[in-house]
Amino acid sequence: MMDSVTSMTFIIALYIFMLAAFTGYVVISRVPSILHTPLMSGSNFIHGIVVVGALDALFNATTLTGQIIGFVGVFLGAGNVMGGYVVTDRMLAMFRPSQKQTPEKKGQP
Amino acid sequence: MMDSVTSMTFIIALYIFMLAAFTGYVVISRVPSILHTPLMSGSNFIHGIVVVGALDALFNATTLTGQIIGFVGVFLGAGNVMGGYVVTDRMLAMFRPSQKQTPEKKGQP
Amino acid sequence: MLIEYIVGLSGLIAAGLFIYGLKAMSSPVTAVSGIVTAGYGMVFVVGATFLNLFNISPDARPHLLVNVALAVVALLLGCLWTGWRGRTVQMTAMPQMVAIFNGMGGGSAASLAAVSLLSDHATSGLHLSVTIVGALIGCISFTGSIIAWAKLDGRMRKPVRFGGQRIFNAALFLIALVLGALTVMQYATPQGVLPGILFFAAALLFGVCMTLPIGGADMPVVISLYNAFTGLAVGLEGYVMGNPALMIAGMVVGSAGTLLTALMAKAMNRSLTNVLFSNFGDTASSAKGPEGEMKSADPSDAATSMRYASSVIIVPGYGLAVAQAQQKLYEFVKMLVADGVDVKFAIHPVAGRMPGHMNVLLAEAGVPYDMICDMDDINDSFATTDVALIIGANDVVNPEALTDKSSPIYGMPILNAYKARQVFVIKRGSGTGYSGVQNPLFFQKNCTMVFGDAQAVLSKMVEAVKALGTA
Amino acid sequence: MLIEYIVGLSGLIAAGLFIYGLKAMSSPVTAVSGIVTAGYGMVFVVGATFLNLFNISPDARPHLLVNVALAVVALLLGCLWTGWRGRTVQMTAMPQMVAIFNGMGGGSAASLAAVSLLSDHATSGLHLSVTIVGALIGCISFTGSIIAWAKLDGRMRKPVRFGGQRIFNAALFLIALVLGALTVMQYATPQGVLPGILFFAAALLFGVCMTLPIGGADMPVVISLYNAFTGLAVGLEGYVMGNPALMIAGMVVGSAGTLLTALMAKAMNRSLTNVLFSNFGDTASSAKGPEGEMKSADPSDAATSMRYASSVIIVPGYGLAVAQAQQKLYEFVKMLVADGVDVKFAIHPVAGRMPGHMNVLLAEAGVPYDMICDMDDINDSFATTDVALIIGANDVVNPEALTDKSSPIYGMPILNAYKARQVFVIKRGSGTGYSGVQNPLFFQKNCTMVFGDAQAVLSKMVEAVKALGTA
Ligand SMILES: NC(=O)c1ccc[n+]([C@@H]2O[C@H](COP(=O)([O-])OP(=O)(O)OC[C@H]3O[C@@H](n4cnc5c(N)ncnc54)[C@H](OP(=O)(O)O)[C@@H]3O)[C@@H](O)[C@H]2O)c1
Ligand SMILES: NC(=O)c1ccc[n+]([C@@H]2O[C@H](COP(=O)([O-])OP(=O)(O)OC[C@H]3O[C@@H](n4cnc5c(N)ncnc54)[C@H](OP(=O)(O)O)[C@@H]3O)[C@@H](O)[C@H]2O)c1
């Protein structure tokens, strides 16, 4: 695995982590409080990318244990992705300015 | 050189470039115009880190040509660093709020 | 090689889209496009991952068909179940829903770690250690989030507490660490299997035990913390798998989530340690503070005086969410506005049980967001306002926070509703709020209580104004 | 190995400090600490680089002493010369100073590339191509910045232009690319040396030729562009050297600088292509626009009416910088303030010749930054102001920009000085500004000219107010 095109040394990994952490910090630091809840679920959606790792693991599974764990991983990851997206999307769709206030309602009975 | 602790593949380099570019963009995007000039020279200072690369090159020079080019590189890089710092520092030191307006003047006759 | 490049680049693009999307979510105007952008990134990178099927290890080739079938089934099951739950959940139940989805991510990260530990091609002790740390964090996030869900969903009413609990938890954590270290040291030997299994068990158990004693009302902060945890776990497992897209996405969420957690805790005037390790928000502190005479009025009287007021500020709180009365409230407000009353909503940053809770509720009811004011913007206006209508809010309008140093909420900024000429408070009885302290505002001269469930009271108010209109 | 780790980590820390510092520079309050933080990062990483001496290639070991001596001398020379120049340069000469320092960075990146090409342990065609691209950009930035300096420093007064210049430049660029490709293909063979040398020559020449035709007044935008170029070159050479700190610092500046350039060009109401490839800002467009009667007054009369006004807004422009009159101006302002006049400064984003130029000038003179207002904040106040005093500004107060579609500055937002009850304009004569168009404001009824060099005029004004005070 270390000879793939995306392999990296530990130091390089630290550089990437540093940059990513800084990015997350800067991006959030000025968010208005009105968006805190959708933002929590939006970032929740983003870490759903773990499903990609789980898929790779399942694809390369050779034992039954591996398959079971991989299956569980993909299921959980997919749930994270889809749930996070749907919930965020629903919340954000509700924030609209008064001018174009359409009477149609979504979801909720 | 490719087996050092900071070696990386091209794809990884792209990831780092992407993150760094995004960081630069976010950090600058909300700077008030009052700081544009010091910011230009401040970022000018930062790319002076090239002197580090030039030092490495000079340390490893084996030929006269290599030494000359390395020397020039270090000289130019050091100039970038020092000049950028001094100029930025001078400009920024002048921005002070009215309350603690000290009468002492720096530099300029 | 080519496939590797394509997959690598797809991760790069996805990571870029995630960051871009997260940035776009920082403004209500671009927020919707932000989540959509991030969504495209996700579809893209998941799709590209299937290209890895052309590149799997030789050992796995015989299992290819089964594995792909399993993957598709797992994907479908996961997406369908959470998609359905996410679409149909009530807005007030959002916190616990987010907890579940977050826990799933943590569990997925933990299973990634398990797979790495099972496979025998780990490269270094460093890799293994990172794997273990990621697994620990992922497991805590997994079971911790489930407990958080159970509490918020009302399936676990009381915080579970016993003597020496902190020592027990600390011991459990240490045991998990030791088991993890054993697993690393005995990696790829038969003796390593048992410590490995026990390690996961201990980590999962620790997630439960760590969350059990925390009061239900503190859960949103804890969920946000676990959200950051899952991000961190995903980032670390991404390093283990050599997948920079996971590293970046995970770490971005890890740091953003940590900041969000800190902002939340700060807005509630607590420290994170305090949330995690103190027994606050539980002991229904029966030490009732101020006593005195509460005036009360019936809904139609209150509605009438608002109808003829020139300005009204509405302060919604957790009780509005409990009563699910946001639609009725907006109906009432629309009638007032039609009659020429100047109505604004004042939102305290920690009103409700998660940050922005009230904004979401009101947005759901269709309240335009330019009627909604942040605390700092509106606090000066109360003094010049005819009526402040407080609906199911308590702590966020408690003036004791400004004056009484012994109060648990001392120091929390509040909405100055007490300064309004007339204050109406809709609540069911004399129940306290989240912090368990009584509110002297309710005994103030200019304050009138309107007892009853918010939904019922507001219905009556709507009727009353209608009656006035036709009169 | 240990040393490699230490050096690698020092780069990590430095990169973090750079980013942190750059972020801190985004507010006047934290800006000073920002550059200091970045400075610590630089000292740290440069110091750590000397650890690499324990780790140099075996071939280089015999030259160790010489190389270290050379390095120390070069460092000292570079630091001392630019440190001295930077300390003593006049504030008005900042743009050209930044140009020089920036050019040095570009040159350093180019020499890094040359070293890589000379050494014979390049690993792949990709590496070599990146090296060449970095070298090209670095060379352009190097010589281009020097030309920019020469123009701004008044050593090269006229833009050099000739027929077919664009075609010539395009051809030169192509030749440089071809030579670069040849260099890559014949790498490490004797035949590769000549194309290599010619490549550098062509790239350096192209930097000169690209910059020659651009008008002096456009130089700040070009300098900002070259600043981004140097960043990019450093980033690319950082990749070649396997040094992520260079990659990050360079690319951060590359992207930040690009954004800054775009903001600058936009503020001047131009596109970047327009700056680079049109011959704007040169042909002293003698097509004089409005004609009419200009009223003029002498300094003491103007000073007197300001002394008795209740509010004055001052609009400084490029002429103030030319006349070096900022200290005198503030002296005058302090007297007005002492006499109870409400004085504000209105700064147009592109007043002067580089963004923030006026802010720096005024800050240098000690003007507190809360007297200084941005265009958007103050534009509505002109209509209610007694006196607008325009000093050496022209384009930024030209109302034609709002109305006359044929004007080259049409569309640029301006300071609405023309709306003030009384306008005074200090300038030497009827010279036009940067854009070369006449300003109808000067012929307006409420406008009075005060002719003369700004420094001289302001001295007289100070005298006049002093005289009034004692009277
Ligand atoms: N937003 C966050 O992120 C967050 C997270 C965790 C904790 N908190 C904390 O939660 C609190 C929020 O303050 P708050 O003022 O919104 O709420 P609160 O202080 O918890 O008070 C809610 C009030 O609503 C009333 N109520 C409950 N159900 C009702 C119903 N169906 N109809 C009418 N009234 C009802 C209750 O009184 P009755 O029982 O008498 O009806 C109670 O006094 C703060 O202390 C904050 O620190 C906030
Ligand atoms: N800030 C930037 O980033 C930047 C960069 C490049 C270009 N620009 C452009 O530069 C222009 C800036 O506008 P501006 O209004 O500041 O300046 P301007 O339009 O260039 O006008 C300057 C005026 O100052 C007068 N002047 C020159 N020397 C003087 C002295 N010693 N004493 C008194 N007056 C003197 C000149 O008239 P006399 O000759 O009659 O005295 C001239 O009309 C804009 O068009 C902008 O687009 C800005």
Side-chain angles (χ1 to χ4, degrees), chain C residues 326-384:
Chain C
Q326 61 272 25
Q327 308 272 3
K328 264 280 168 272
L329 173 61
Y330 189 41
E331 200 181 323
F332 177 59
V333 166
K334 275 190 288 196
M335 296 176 76
L336 291 185
V337 170
D339 291 339
V341 185
D342 173 29
V343 186
K344 292 247 173 303
F345 290 85
I347 308 271
H348 191 281
V350 296
R353 285 295 177 269
M354 61 192 306
H357 201 165
M358 289 302 126
N359 300 91
V360 171
L361 279 188
L362 295 180
E364 187 199 13
V367 179
Y369 61 67
D370 38 17
M371 284 183 83
I372 302 179
C373 304
D374 279 349
M375 179 168 65
D376 295 337
D377 297 335
I378 204 162
N379 242 351
D380 293 336
S381 318
F382 278 107
T384 57

Side-chain angles (χ1 to χ4, degrees), chain D residues 313-317 344-346 348 382 388-393 396-397 415 417:
Chain D
I313 297 181
I314 296 178
V315 179
K344 290 246 173 306
F345 291 85
H348 191 280
F382 279 106
L389 173 63
I390 298 170
I391 304 178
V396 299
V397 291
L415 285 165

Side-chain angles (χ1 to χ4, degrees), chain C residues 429-450:
Chain C
S430 54
T432 55
Y434 158 77
S435 66
V437 297
Q438 262 302 355
N439 191 337
L441 165 67
F442 301 158
F443 305 96
Q444 232 174 256
K445 278 216 194 82
N446 61 345
C447 178
T448 309
M449 312 296 291
V450 186

Side-chain angles (χ1 to χ4, degrees), chain D residues 111 202 255-256 376 389 394 422 431 462:
Chain D
S111 53
S255 105
D376 294 338
L389 173 63
N394 193 337
Q422 168 67 44
V462 168

Side-chain angles (χ1 to χ4, degrees), chain C residues 361-438:
Chain C
L361 279 188
L362 295 180
E364 187 199 13
V367 179
Y369 61 67
D370 38 17
M371 284 183 83
I372 302 179
C373 304
D374 279 349
M375 179 168 65
D376 295 337
D377 297 335
I378 204 162
N379 242 351
D380 293 336
S381 318
F382 278 107
T384 57
T385 295
D386 290 343
V387 178
L389 172 63
I390 297 171
I391 304 178
N394 193 337
D395 297 343
V396 300
V397 292
N398 191 338
E400 221 174 67
L402 301 175
T403 51
D404 182 356
K405 294 206 179 169
S406 69
S407 167
I409 57 173
Y410 177 71
M412 177 168 98
I414 63 153
L415 285 165
N416 297 330
Y418 69 94
K419 287 190 181 164
R421 288 192 202 111
Q422 168 69 42
V423 180
F424 288 111
V425 178
I426 303 179
K427 67 201 296 275
R428 293 165 310 179
S430 54
T432 55
Y434 158 77
S435 66
V437 297
Q438 262 302 355

Side-chain angles (χ1 to χ4, degrees), chain D residues 217 318 350 352-355 392 394-396 427-429 431 434 453-454:
Chain D
Y318 179 60
V350 296
R353 287 293 178 269
M354 62 192 305
N394 193 337
D395 296 344
V396 299
K427 67 200 296 275
R428 292 165 311 178
Y434 160 74
D453 176 80

